Amino acid sequence: CVARDKSRDKKKKNTKKKKKKKNNNKKKEEPPPDKRVVAMTVTTRLRMDRVNDLVNYLPDTNADLKPLANIIGRSSEPLSCGVTTDKIYYQHDGKSIRYGVIKDELVYGKGRTSGRCRSKDNLSIANMSKDTRYHLANDDYTDVDLVCSGPRCLMEVFNQNKIECKELVEAIQNKTRERFLELVGQECCDHVGKPLDRDIAKKAMNIVINNGRYQGLTNNKDTTRLDDLKTSVRRAVKELVGKTPEYKQLWIDSLTKNPKNPQGTFIHKIVAPIEEARVKMLFDFCTQKDIEIGANTGDGLLLWTKDVNRTCGNIDNLIRELNSQTKVEFAHKPMVSETKYPSQRD
């Protein structure tokens, strides 16, 4: 018998493998289309020397390095990831330098058409810590936010459904809010009698509304005001869940997603659309006045300061007109940083 020539079969197998590899490569090169709904488009102007400094000198463990690297990498190419040079200049070391500009699309979560929106390509400075945001944006942008955003949106839902929550009203309305936070601070003094900082008292209040444990912020002390607020909001949420089939289903979904604390998830689901609608009011107001928007911070926007001053004279005039027109309370929130600008010496 004559031995079979297997070389032809091997060639056929090899050609089939090559075709499969080519098809696999094609599939990898063509990612599925992004079907997320675009909520708004913003224009972010960046001082690229600062972006480079932050990328080069921030500690390797800093969480902001990833979004910064998405804007500009360590490579020799100065601009990347959709960053283009601008016709507007800023002064640095006696030189006029062009801003880097990003046209950033903000999209809703997958399958959603409302709620908080995020940068499609993770390029937004809103994703970064307040320290990094300060170093990048403070000289060029003004931060305008909703006042007491989440709790007030929650109170609106309660009011729409005729549910009373007196403790929440006391914690959020202008007449009593500051006194409420002050008393929480005084009830939770540290070992030398120093009251809690206002911002910490505010964080504790927000944690309580979402049915969380606050004692880690209050020197491990209990406070009657926060305990009463927690009980009151829990009761109001329970009443709300029984109002309509939609709320009941939202609660079931929240319980499935977060069995340890469904209240926090449920509140986020009902508050996010209202918060987004109010931020959209700010967006439309600024768009009509031709004020450029640099980022969406969730409960507010970063506005190009030169446009604010050009159209309204100053930020106080803008806030006054905005609040009068929208019947919603916004405020200028100064950017702050607890860290110095990073340098090679650090």
Side-chain angles (χ1 to χ4, degrees):
C1 67
V2 181
R4 183 183 169 192
D5 184 5
K6 295 182 179 179
S7 60
R8 291 181 182 179
D9 294 339
K10 285 182 179 179
K11 285 180 181 178
K12 284 181 180 179
K13 284 181 181 179
N14 289 336
T15 53
K16 283 181 180 178
K17 284 181 181 178
K18 285 180 181 178
K19 283 181 180 179
K20 281 183 180 179
K21 283 183 179 179
K22 284 182 181 179
N23 290 334
N24 288 336
N25 289 336
K26 283 182 181 178
K27 287 178 183 178
K28 287 178 182 177
E29 289 171 4
E30 298 173 5
D34 191 340
K35 295 182 180 180
R36 290 176 296 175
V37 177
V38 176
M40 59 181 70
T41 302
V42 298
T43 302
T44 310
R45 301 179 189 274
L46 297 164
R47 301 190 181 208
M48 300 310 291
D49 58 292
R50 295 188 183 182
V51 178
N52 273 315
D53 285 345
L54 290 165
V55 168
N56 289 330
Y57 304 131
L58 280 176
D60 292 341
T61 54
N62 192 293
D64 293 332
L65 285 175
K66 187 174 181 180
L68 285 167
N70 285 341
I71 295 171
I72 182 169
R74 294 175 180 267
S75 64
S76 58
E77 185 68 26
L79 298 173
S80 60
C81 290
V83 182
T84 59
T85 52
D86 197 4
K87 293 180 181 178
I88 301 176
Y89 294 82
Y90 63 94
Q91 297 298 314
H92 178 66
D93 290 340
K95 298 178 182 178
S96 294
I97 303 176
R98 287 184 177 184
Y99 286 92
V101 181
I102 297 172
K103 294 288 186 181
D104 192 16
E105 285 188 334
L106 307 182
V107 294
Y108 297 120
K110 191 175 180 180
R112 296 186 178 182
T113 56
S114 67
R116 284 201 172 190
C117 53
R118 302 184 185 280
S119 173
K120 184 178 179 181
D121 299 311
N122 196 24
L123 297 173
S124 176
I125 57 177
N127 297 343
M128 303 177 198
S129 68
K130 67 177 184 179
D131 292 331
T132 299
R133 194 187 306 178
Y134 173 89
H135 296 312
L136 284 177
N138 186 57
D139 290 338
D140 299 307
Y141 286 99
T142 300
D143 190 359
V144 174
D145 289 342
L146 287 160
V147 174
C148 199
S149 175
R152 287 188 178 181
C153 291
L154 178 62
M155 193 67 242
E156 181 173 319
V157 176
F158 289 159
N159 288 338
Q160 288 171 353
N161 289 274
K162 296 177 179 168
I163 295 172
E164 283 191 7
C165 192
K166 293 178 181 178
E167 287 77 6
L168 183 58
V169 172
E170 182 188 358
I172 66 172
Q173 70 175 4
N174 284 335
K175 291 180 181 179
T176 54
R177 183 172 181 236
E178 291 306 317
R179 181 61 178 161
F180 179 91
L181 295 174
E182 182 184 348
L183 290 172
V184 168
Q186 290 175 359
E187 290 176 357
C188 302
C189 294
D190 62 15
H191 65 285
V192 295
K194 182 181 177 183
L196 276 185
D197 180 75
R198 180 192 179 277
D199 287 342
I200 294 177
K202 180 183 169 185
K203 280 183 183 178
M205 182 192 80
N206 288 330
I207 287 173
V208 161
I209 290 169
N210 288 285
N211 201 36
R213 188 179 183 279
Y214 65 85
Q215 285 82 355
L217 293 174
T218 59
N219 300 308
N220 290 317
K221 291 184 177 180
D222 295 334
T223 160
T224 305
R225 280 173 178 78
L226 291 183
D227 290 338
D228 289 347
L229 175 62
K230 190 173 188 175
T231 302
S232 180
V233 172
R234 190 189 298 143
R235 177 198 53 75
V237 166
K238 187 176 180 180
E239 187 178 342
L240 180 66
V241 170
K243 283 282 184 179
T244 67
E246 289 79 13
Y247 285 134
K248 188 174 182 180
Q249 186 58 51
L250 274 179
W251 179 262
I252 293 169
D253 294 342
S254 301
L255 189 60
T256 304
K257 186 175 181 179
N258 186 5
K260 289 185 177 180
N261 184 16
Q263 180 174 309
T265 303
F266 176 78
I267 287 175
H268 174 74
K269 286 177 181 291
I270 62 175
V271 160
I274 298 173
E275 186 180 64
E276 184 243 347
R278 292 181 174 185
V279 172
K280 189 67 166 58
M281 290 179 186
L282 172 59
F283 181 87
D284 292 341
F285 176 88
C286 294
T287 302
Q288 289 168 7
K289 287 192 169 292
D290 198 27
I291 296 172
E292 191 173 85
I293 296 155
N296 183 324
T297 59
D299 60 355
L301 301 172
L302 296 186
L303 311 182
W304 187 248
T305 301
K306 288 182 180 177
D307 285 349
V308 171
N309 295 337
R310 172 180 55 81
T311 57
C312 300
N314 57 52
I315 186 60
D316 292 335
N317 292 339
L318 181 143
I319 295 294
R320 197 178 301 112
E321 185 178 347
L322 171 67
N323 290 350
S324 174
Q325 184 173 313
T326 61
K327 308 303 180 188
V328 175
E329 189 176 4
F330 291 89
H332 170 217
K333 183 180 178 182
M335 292 186 227
V336 295
S337 173
E338 296 175 359
T339 63
K340 64 179 182 177
Y341 187 78
S343 68
Q344 193 171 8
R345 294 186 294 274
D346 294 337

